[in-house]
Amino acid sequence: MKRVVSVVGARPNFMKVAPIDRAFKKYSDKVEHLIVHTGQHYDAKMSDAFFQDLEMPEPAVFLGIGSGSHADQTAKVIMGFEKVCLDLKPDLVIVVGDVNSTIACTLTAVKLEIPVAHVEAGLRSGDRKMPEEINRLATDAICDYCFVTEESGMKFLKESHFPEDKTFFVGNTMIDSQHFALAKAEESNVLKEIGIEAGKYVLVTLHRPSNVDEPEQLQTVLKVLAELSQHRAVVFPVHPRTRKNIESFGLNELLKNVHFIDAQGYIDFLALMKNADFVLTDSGGIQEETTALKIPCITVRTTTERPVTCEIGTNILIEPTADAMKTAIDNMLNKPRKAGAIPPMWDGRAAERITEIIVSQILNV
Ligand code: UD1
């Protein structure tokens, strides 16, 4: 029996690992699959809600690392995960995405000579000021196997001379979760609870440090939302860090006409995305989720590590200035919209492909 450990740490990890866990069930006579949660995200709304909504089993280990500076958080995950590896002796560690837990656990496992597979490898924004870009570069530089969601990832890995026979274009496990949860999202009461109508509101999320950590920039963005909320319903489920900043910078007043609500669970957020007129965000994953749903998305960032969402999906990038935001919103409301298509292999079956490759080509069982 082989043992595979998948790491989750922060909110965008849960929906990437849930389908992998489900797909491993087919091989339960050969592979034991365990989930280790670093506890990078710990609020019920940022973590527990996702386990329930995605029907994930309890993690085998919860490290309870919590927040801190990048160095503090990364170091604590490394120390905690080393003990886990020594104890569980996995045959393979799977890491997903680009959060601090991703690089921390990769570094730990690789130094213990445990092979590491990176799911969502090869993505690059080219912006080294993003902590996630550093995590992506470092993880791909030292992991053993790369599973890739879009063509751009194949290109970057090839350019960086990552072994081609250990690079697999498999599609997007995040979209597997979307397929899994769509029927449940149809049953969600969240629109009714908020008091909004399908197709008649703008959904907003903001949490990138570059948009929310400086008072001036946050105020610029919120002023645009305040103006939009005069003539359109605006729903803004808020990341805890963004909420803290809005409060400490004294900007709450700008949101008086906005449905300013807590971060949502996976199913309710999916219902909000699916029924939105359009989405305005600075998230990584939401660019992909809206593309898969064919819902227009304005991304308030100058770069994306997910170019397929702009090339063939519904996403557009804009400068994070008041003028650019207003123009993009005005175009969205008054001009014909971009028709998007679904990127190759975003078909809900990526995790099946990943586990098939792991079992037959990596673990050889
Ligand atoms: C992390 C990821 C980011 C991802 C985001 C999604 C890194 C470098 N960043 O950013 O890629 O898009 O998650 O949410 O790993 N906090 C809470 N409760 C929580 C978690 C966080 O209140 O459950 C607050 C704390 O004040 C904390 C801050 O959010 O200091 C930052 O949390 P952290 O996990 O360090 O980074 P995120 O900004 O959430």
Side-chain angles (χ1 to χ4, degrees):
M1 191 77 154
K2 299 282 186 180
R3 178 175 282 164
V4 176
V5 163
S6 286
V7 176
V8 293
R11 182 170 63 176
N13 294 158
F14 306 123
M15 58 292 258
K16 292 168 195 166
V17 167
I20 296 176
D21 182 70
R22 248 190 316 280
F24 265 123
K25 291 208 163 71
K26 186 174 160 192
Y27 307 101
S28 58
D29 55 330
K30 299 174 183 171
V31 178
E32 180 190 28
H33 182 243
L34 301 174
I35 295 173
V36 172
H37 187 345
T38 66
Q40 175 174 343
H41 282 176
Y42 45 88
D43 282 356
K45 291 197 155 65
M46 301 294 282
S47 174
D48 304 3
F50 287 79
F51 274 82
Q52 284 149 26
D53 282 358
L54 295 161
E55 297 176 31
M56 276 167 92
E58 288 279 308
V61 181
F62 181 73
L63 291 174
I65 299 303
S67 301
S69 69
H70 284 269
D72 184 61
Q73 190 173 60
T74 309
K76 283 185 184 144
V77 175
I78 289 175
M79 293 197 295
F81 193 62
E82 183 174 53
K83 291 198 188 81
V84 172
C85 287
L86 293 173
D87 182 30
L88 295 178
K89 300 186 175 55
D91 297 288
L92 178 75
V93 167
I94 300 177
V95 296
V96 298
D98 55 17
V99 302
N100 287 340
S101 299
T102 309
I103 176 59
C105 294
T106 303
L107 189 57
T108 308
V110 164
K111 288 204 172 170
L112 292 170
E113 296 182 24
I114 300 166
V116 174
H118 183 205
V119 170
E120 203 188 85
L123 298 186
R124 300 288 182 267
S125 68
D127 176 1
R128 290 171 73 106
K129 287 199 178 122
M130 280 179 86
E132 294 83 0
E133 182 74 353
I134 305 301
N135 293 342
R136 290 187 278 262
L137 282 161
T139 301
D140 289 344
I142 57 174
C143 72
D144 298 276
Y145 303 96
C146 282
F147 290 104
V148 182
T149 53
E150 62 165 88
E151 277 296 343
S152 73
M154 298 300 284
K155 183 178 133 263
F156 282 118
L157 290 169
K158 193 171 181 182
E159 279 169 15
S160 64
H161 304 289
F162 194 89
E164 282 180 48
D165 59 339
K166 293 181 177 173
T167 308
F168 306 96
F169 184 31
V170 289
N172 195 329
T173 63
M174 197 173 210
I175 305 309
D176 296 6
S177 277
Q178 192 178 84
H179 284 221
F180 174 77
L182 266 178
K184 285 206 248 172
E186 302 283 351
E187 311 278 294
S188 164
N189 285 322
V190 68
L191 273 70
K192 214 182 279 169
E193 282 159 18
I194 298 172
I196 45 172
E197 272 179 69
K200 297 203 169 147
Y201 61 91
V202 181
L203 178 65
V204 176
T205 82
L206 296 165
H207 74 280
R208 283 276 140 242
S210 58
N211 278 326
V212 307
D213 281 0
E214 296 299 325
E216 241 174 65
Q217 177 59 18
L218 186 53
Q219 188 178 32
T220 300
V221 176
L222 297 187
K223 274 189 179 160
V224 176
L225 297 186
E227 205 178 303
L228 177 62
S229 68
Q230 308 272 328
H231 45 97
R232 265 293 215 248
V234 176
V235 181
F236 183 7
V238 71
H239 186 287
R241 188 157 52 87
T242 310
R243 184 189 287 284
K244 262 185 234 164
N245 291 349
I246 290 172
E247 282 164 10
S248 70
F249 304 154
L251 299 172
N252 297 60
E253 186 61 16
L254 287 171
L255 295 171
K256 64 176 190 292
N257 292 324
V258 170
H259 298 276
F260 186 49
I261 56 175
D262 278 342
Q264 297 291 295
Y266 185 76
I267 306 276
D268 287 342
F269 190 76
L270 178 53
L272 286 171
M273 260 190 305
K274 190 176 167 295
N275 291 297
D277 181 25
F278 65 91
V279 174
L280 187 135
T281 190
D282 59 10
S283 155
I286 292 171
Q287 299 173 57
E288 296 185 339
E289 291 173 327
T290 47
T291 275
L293 293 166
K294 299 194 174 169
I295 296 289
C297 182
I298 301 172
T299 300
V300 189
R301 283 174 48 184
T302 49
T303 59
T304 182
E305 58 290 336
R306 295 161 158 93
V308 75
T309 61
C310 294
E311 286 155 14
I312 65 173
T314 49
N315 188 26
I316 56 164
L317 298 185
I318 59 159
E319 295 277 339
T321 62
D323 281 352
M325 286 175 72
K326 283 185 204 163
T327 306
I329 289 169
D330 197 54
N331 288 345
M332 202 55 97
L333 295 174
N334 300 308
K335 294 206 175 139
R337 297 174 177 188
K338 189 178 167 192
I342 311 274
M345 285 206 268
W346 290 19
D347 58 359
R349 306 191 63 185
E352 286 172 40
R353 291 189 275 271
I354 290 171
T355 49
E356 210 273 317
I357 292 166
I358 289 176
V359 171
S360 64
Q361 298 183 46
I362 298 178
L363 299 174
N364 297 310
V365 288

